[in-house]
C-alpha cells in the first residue's frame, strides 16, 4: 500500500514538471522560429499593419456623407489606397533622395562634433582631455551612418515583398468571414473566433490609424521647427521623427536628440541648437502626452511596463522592425489571451487596469 501511495503522490509532481518542461521548450522553439524566419515574418507583419491602415482609412472614408449619401465602398477603398500610396511614396522619395547627401555630410559632422566635445572635456584637465581625444578617435560616426543607411536599404528592398502581400490580403478580407464559418462547424466556437478577430482588428485599426495621424503631426511640427533655423536635411529628420514616433518612449527621445546634435555641429551659435532642442521637444511632448492620449484614451489598455517590456523583447528579436510593431503585436496577443479562459490571468497582468473587457468595449 505504501508503494501505491507513493506512486499516486509522485504522479502530480511528474505531470507538473512535464507541463513546465513543455512550456519552456515551446517558448524556446517559438523564439527561435521568430528569429530564423524573420526574413519572411517581418515583411508579413508590416503587410498586416499596412492592410490594417488601409482598411481603417477606407472605413473612415466610407462613413463620410457627400450630398446626403455615403461614399461607395469601392470608391472608399480606391481613395484609401491612393492616400496611403502617396504618403509612402513621399516618405521613400525623401529618404532615397537625401540618403547619399547625409552619408557624405557625416565626416564633416564628425570632425565638428569631435572638436566640440574636446573643448568641453579640456575644461576638466589635460589628462582627461587626452583620454577623450583617444576615445573620440575610436568612434566612427561615418561608419555608423553607413550601417544605418545600409539597414534602411535592406528595409526598402523588403518593402517590395510587403507591397506584394497587401493586395492579396485585401482580396481575402471578405471571403475570410465565410471560410471561418465553413472551417469551424461548431457555431459557438466560430462566433468566438469571429469575436476575437474583430476585437483584434478594431483595436489595431484604432491604434494604427491614430498613431499614423499623430506621427504625421509630429513630423510636420518638427519640420517647421527645423526649417525655421535652416537645419540641414530637415526633411529627412522630419521623416525619421514620423517613423520613430511609432516606437514607444525611446523613439520620441531619439527623434529630438538626432536633429539637436546635427544643429549643434552645423551652427557656430548655440541658439539654433536650443531652438531645435526645445521646439522639437515641445512638439513631441504636446503630441505624445496631450493629443495622443486624448484620441486613444484607454482603448488599448496596455500596462506601461508591458509596453516597455514588449519594446525590449521585439527589438531583440527583430531589431528596428520589431520596435515599430511591438505595441500592435502585444495588443493582439493580449486580446487572444483575454478570450481564452485558461490564459485570462495573463491578459489581466498585461492590461493597464486589470479590466480586460475594456479592450473590447473601447473599440466598439
Amino acid at each position: 500500500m505504501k508503494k501505491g501511495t507513493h506512486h499516486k503522490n509522485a504522479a502530480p509532481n511528474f505531470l507538473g514538471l512535464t507541463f513546465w518542461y513543455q512550456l519552456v521548450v515551446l517558448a524556446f522553439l517559438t523564439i527561435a522560429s521568430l528569429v530564423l524566419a524573420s526574413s519572411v515574418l517581418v515583411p508579413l507583419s508590416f503587410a498586416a499593419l499596412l492592410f490594417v491602415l488601409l482598411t481603417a482609412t477606407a472605413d473612415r472614408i466610407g462613413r463620410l456623407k457627400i450630398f446626403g449619401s455615403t461614399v461607395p465602398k469601392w470608391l472608399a477603398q480606391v481613395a484609401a489606397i491612393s492616400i496611403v500610396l502617396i504618403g509612402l511614396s513621399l516618405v521613400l522619395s525623401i529618404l532615397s533622395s537625401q540618403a547619399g547627401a547625409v552619408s557624405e555630410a557625416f565626416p564633416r559632422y564628425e570632425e565638428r562634433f569631435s572638436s566640440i566635445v574636446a573643448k568641453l572635456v579640456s575644461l576638466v584637465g589635460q589628462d582627461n582631455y587626452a583620454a577623450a581625444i583617444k576615445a573620440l578617435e575610436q568612434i566612427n560616426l561615418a561608419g555608423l551612418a553607413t550601417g544605418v543607411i545600409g539597414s534602411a536599404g535592406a528595409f526598402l528592398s523588403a518593402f517590395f515583398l510587403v507591397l506584394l502581400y497587401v493586395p492579396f490580403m485585401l482580396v481575402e478580407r471578405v471571403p475570410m468571414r465565410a471560410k471561418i464559418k465553413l472551417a469551424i462547424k461548431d457555431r459557438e466556437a466560430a462566433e468566438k473566433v469571429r469575436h476575437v478577430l474583430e476585437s483584434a482588428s478594431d483595436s489595431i485599426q484604432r491604434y494604427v490609424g491614430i498613431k499614423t495621424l499623430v506621427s504625421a503631426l509630429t513630423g510636420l511640427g518638427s519640420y517647421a521647427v527645423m526649417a525655421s533655423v535652416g537645419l540641414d536635411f530637415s526633411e529627412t529628420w522630419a521623416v525619421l521623427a514620423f517613423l520613430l514616433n511609432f516606437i514607444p518612449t525611446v523613439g520620441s527621445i531619439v527623434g529630438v536628440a538626432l536633429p539637436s546634435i546635427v544643429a549643434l555641429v552645423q551652427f557656430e551659435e548655440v541658439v539654433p541648437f536650443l531652438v531645435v532642442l526645445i521646439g522639437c521637444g515641445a512638439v513631441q511632448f504636446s503630441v505624445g502626452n496631450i493629443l495622443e492620449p486624448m484620441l486613444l484614451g484607454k482603448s488599448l489598455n496596455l500596462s506601461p511596463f508591458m509596453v516597455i517590456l514588449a519594446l525590449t523583447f521585439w527589438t531583440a528579436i527583430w531589431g528596428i522592425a520589431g520596435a515599430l510593431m511591438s505595441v500592435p503585436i502585444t495588443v493582439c496577443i493580449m486580446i487572444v489571451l483575454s478570450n481564452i479562459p485558461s490564459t485570462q490571468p495573463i491578459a489581466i497582468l498585461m492590461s493597464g487596469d486589470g479590466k480586460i473587457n475594456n479592450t473590447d468595449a473601447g473599440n466598439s
Side-chain angles (χ1 to χ4, degrees):
M1 292 182 65
K2 290 184 178 179
K3 287 185 178 181
T5 304
H6 174 73
H7 287 300
K8 288 181 181 179
N9 293 334
N13 293 331
F14 175 75
L15 291 174
L17 289 175
T18 302
F19 169 75
W20 288 110
Y21 171 77
Q22 292 174 344
L23 186 63
V24 170
V25 171
L26 179 62
F28 174 79
L29 292 177
T30 301
I31 294 174
S33 300
L34 289 172
V35 174
L36 294 175
S38 60
S39 60
V40 176
L41 294 177
V42 170
L44 184 60
S45 300
F46 267 115
L49 289 182
L50 187 58
F51 166 75
V52 168
L53 178 60
L54 284 170
T55 53
T57 306
D59 291 344
R60 182 59 61 91
I61 295 174
R63 296 191 194 104
L64 298 176
K65 288 189 176 182
I66 301 177
F67 302 112
S69 60
T70 57
V71 178
K73 286 187 177 181
W74 67 268
L75 183 59
Q77 290 182 350
V78 171
I81 293 172
S82 302
I83 292 172
V84 173
L85 286 179
I86 291 172
L88 289 174
S89 301
L90 181 62
V91 169
L92 295 178
S93 63
I94 291 174
L95 291 179
S96 60
S97 63
Q98 295 192 347
V102 172
S103 181
E104 292 176 0
F106 254 87
R108 185 175 74 251
Y109 291 158
E110 184 179 14
E111 182 180 354
R112 169 70 175 158
F113 182 73
S114 299
S115 64
I116 292 173
V117 175
K119 289 179 182 179
L120 294 175
V121 176
S122 64
L123 299 176
V124 297
Q126 189 64 31
D127 294 337
N128 292 329
Y129 172 77
I133 292 297
K134 186 176 180 180
L136 286 172
E137 290 175 352
Q138 298 176 355
I139 300 176
N140 186 7
L141 291 179
L144 179 62
T146 303
V148 171
I149 293 173
S151 300
F155 170 76
L156 292 179
S157 63
F159 192 71
F160 173 76
L161 195 57
V162 173
L163 295 180
L164 186 64
Y165 285 140
V166 172
F168 292 97
M169 290 182 174
L170 290 172
V171 172
E172 196 70 16
R173 183 186 182 188
V174 175
M176 182 58 68
R177 298 176 181 175
K179 287 194 288 187
I180 289 175
K181 292 181 180 179
L182 294 174
I184 304 175
K185 302 300 181 182
D186 186 359
R187 182 177 296 179
E188 185 177 348
E191 184 65 22
K192 190 75 171 179
V193 171
R194 187 194 63 80
H195 172 71
V196 172
L197 292 177
E198 287 186 354
S199 297
S201 177
D202 290 343
S203 293
I204 302 305
Q205 278 190 23
R206 181 172 175 80
Y207 173 79
V208 173
I210 293 177
K211 194 68 176 178
T212 302
L213 174 62
V214 298
S215 297
L217 293 176
T218 300
L220 290 173
S222 299
Y223 174 75
V225 173
M226 293 182 288
S228 66
V229 298
L231 188 70
D232 289 344
F233 317 115
S234 297
E235 296 86 355
T236 297
W237 312 131
V239 169
L240 289 179
F242 165 76
L243 296 175
L244 289 169
N245 200 58
F246 284 90
I247 302 176
T249 308
V250 179
S252 299
I253 297 174
V254 177
V256 174
L258 192 59
S260 299
I261 294 174
V262 174
L264 183 65
V265 299
Q266 177 184 343
F267 301 102
E268 297 289 341
E269 303 85 4
V270 184
V271 175
F273 163 72
L274 294 177
V275 170
V276 173
L277 178 64
I278 297 173
C280 291
V283 170
Q284 292 278 2
F285 178 83
S286 58
V287 173
N289 294 278
I290 299 175
L291 180 61
E292 186 175 337
M294 187 187 304
L295 295 175
L296 277 177
K298 294 184 178 181
S299 59
L300 295 180
N301 197 23
L302 267 182
S303 165
F305 175 72
M306 196 64 226
V307 172
I308 298 300
L309 190 63
L311 174 63
T312 305
F313 174 79
W314 288 106
T315 303
I317 297 295
W318 286 346
I320 299 298
L324 291 170
M325 295 184 289
S326 60
V327 172
I329 292 175
T330 307
V331 169
C332 287
I333 293 173
M334 187 182 73
I335 291 173
V336 172
L337 294 178
S338 67
N339 285 276
I340 301 174
S342 59
T343 58
Q344 280 184 356
I346 301 176
I348 291 173
L349 294 176
M350 293 173 64
S351 65
D353 55 10
K355 300 177 181 178
I356 54 177
N357 289 332
N358 287 353
T359 306
D360 302 333
N363 297 295
S364 58

